[in-house]
Amino acid sequence: MNASFLCQYRHLAMAVATVVVLPLVLTSGSLATEVLIFALAALGCNLLLGYTGLMSFGQGIFLGLGSYAAGLALLHLRIPLIAVLPLAMIVGALAAALVGWFSIRQRGTYFVMLTLAFAQMFYFLAYTLRDITGGDNGLLDIPRPPLEILGQRLLPTAGPWEYYTLVAVVFVVVFWVLQRIVDSILGRTLLAVRDNEARAAAAGYDVRMLKLIAFMISGAITGLAGALHAMLTGIAPLSNIEYGTSESILIMTVIGGTGKLFASVLGAGFYVLVGDWLSTLWPRWLMLLGMLLIAVSLFMQKGLWGVGTGLLQRVRRQGRADDTATQRSAAYD
């Protein structure tokens, strides 16, 4: 087996281990489900930031539109769950195509400003279309149907842990597909665009098309996360599409570390779980979280993934040094 296959298997094994461990360490099924949902959103963001070099502040657009698409489909169309999730992905991908088509024409600060402008535009659009989105109240009483195919029930979703099982299956499948993408020729080409866009263009790659494809994949994954979140809470709130949500998803991605998919899972878990814990300590827990994020930015610039791999390498070096010292001691004896 080659190195890339082993790396893919290792990261997939960690993703599977995550969905197994969460029910063992958390008493709340809703909290565990929220971790996986935002891990999906962070995965989509990491594809843009870590693999393509695009810092987008428009991820909340796709999360919010995925929430609205799922809510409207379940409330008014009564379509089955097996069709709701692909619908949310299509809506997210189409919105990403629109945002990306304009944004990728600029670089650096102007790219960031365009994604931020689109985020504000979609927010006020959702706020204005009260008959469709519910305005500042959002869409309420969104049902959570079981997973059925041809009338056969595959997975119930009524209970918190039952719904967690569905989200866990979706998470593992999406993680595997995304790992296949980043390990493919497309993924390697995206890294080339990230590292040296001018050289990639000179080599004959259509840089704009590659960026647009990355945007659409990211939008589809984030839209899926939005649909799952709407069914988790029973609400598609206006806050899902606002700038603050985009900021939170970006923070999760940076905390975990960019350029490694499982790092996004670490970042999302850290943000959600630490935020939940701090909220029980002080009503103004966001201030504590802000100070914690400052510490992470100053002393953990490679994210949680970088810290973990650094500690592992240090342990390995210490182990090799101990083995060498033991061998030398044995030789002298």
Side-chain angles (χ1 to χ4, degrees):
M1 292 184 292
N2 56 36
S4 63
F5 178 82
L6 290 175
C7 182
Q8 175 183 341
Y9 178 82
R10 176 166 57 91
H11 284 268
L12 181 60
M14 287 189 289
V16 173
T18 300
V19 305
V20 173
V21 168
L22 282 176
L24 301 178
V25 299
L26 297 178
T27 58
S28 171
S30 297
L31 184 60
T33 305
E34 188 177 3
V35 169
L36 294 187
I37 290 174
F38 280 104
L40 283 174
L43 285 170
C45 184
N46 200 357
L47 181 66
L48 287 180
L49 181 60
Y51 289 88
T52 318
L54 299 175
M55 181 178 288
S56 169
F57 279 89
Q59 299 304 107
I61 299 172
F62 318 134
L63 187 84
L65 291 180
S67 298
Y68 286 133
L72 292 171
L74 291 170
L75 286 171
H76 303 296
L77 301 180
R78 304 291 182 181
I79 64 176
L81 178 61
I82 195 67
V84 169
L85 301 182
L87 174 64
M89 296 181 71
I90 292 172
V91 171
L94 292 177
L98 174 63
V99 174
W101 192 84
F102 287 98
S103 301
I104 60 177
R105 282 161 168 71
Q106 300 295 332
R107 300 180 184 177
T109 304
Y110 295 102
F111 169 83
V112 174
M113 289 176 63
L114 274 173
T115 59
L116 182 58
F118 271 107
Q120 293 296 96
M121 183 187 74
F122 273 92
Y123 171 79
F124 285 109
L125 187 63
Y127 180 80
T128 303
L129 299 177
R130 297 175 180 272
D131 294 337
I132 300 175
T133 65
D136 51 359
N137 292 324
L139 294 176
L140 307 177
D141 300 323
I142 296 175
R144 189 194 300 169
L147 180 64
E148 296 180 342
I149 298 180
L150 300 177
Q152 297 296 320
R153 178 172 295 190
L154 301 181
L155 281 175
T157 60
W161 289 112
E162 291 174 338
Y163 187 61
Y164 173 84
T165 302
L166 171 67
V167 175
V169 171
V170 173
F171 167 76
V172 171
V173 171
V174 171
F175 189 97
W176 177 77
V177 171
L178 200 53
Q179 186 69 65
R180 296 281 294 178
I181 290 174
V182 300
D183 288 337
S184 68
I185 296 176
L186 173 61
R188 301 304 178 190
T189 308
L190 291 177
L191 290 176
V193 173
R194 180 199 68 183
D195 294 337
N196 196 322
E197 183 176 334
R199 182 176 296 178
Y205 293 110
D206 190 339
V207 173
R208 286 187 177 179
M209 180 57 66
L210 289 168
K211 289 181 178 180
L212 187 60
I213 291 172
F215 243 106
M216 293 182 68
I217 297 174
S218 176
I221 296 172
T222 311
L224 173 63
L228 294 172
H229 189 265
M231 288 185 285
L232 170 67
T233 60
I235 303 172
L238 183 64
S239 60
N240 273 6
I241 204 170
E242 69 178 358
Y243 159 75
T245 300
S246 299
E247 179 183 316
S248 297
I249 294 173
L250 189 60
I251 289 174
M252 294 175 196
T253 307
V254 173
I255 287 177
T258 58
K260 297 291 183 181
L261 290 183
F262 189 74
S264 300
V265 183
L266 295 177
F270 178 88
Y271 187 92
V272 173
L273 296 179
V274 171
D276 179 75
W277 173 63
L278 290 177
S279 65
T280 63
L281 301 179
W282 193 28
R284 294 183 174 84
W285 63 273
L286 284 173
M287 183 181 297
L288 298 177
L289 182 61
M291 291 187 289
L292 187 58
L293 293 178
I294 291 173
V296 169
S297 301
L298 290 175
F299 305 107
M300 298 166 52
Q301 295 183 0
K302 294 184 178 180
L304 296 174
W305 178 266
V307 172
T309 54
L311 291 175
L312 183 60
Q313 291 172 0
R314 183 176 299 179
V315 170
R316 288 176 176 174
R317 285 196 299 268
Q318 185 63 43
R320 288 195 293 267
D322 292 342
D323 291 341
T324 302
T326 302
Q327 292 173 1
R328 288 178 178 176
S329 177
Y332 286 130
D333 293 339

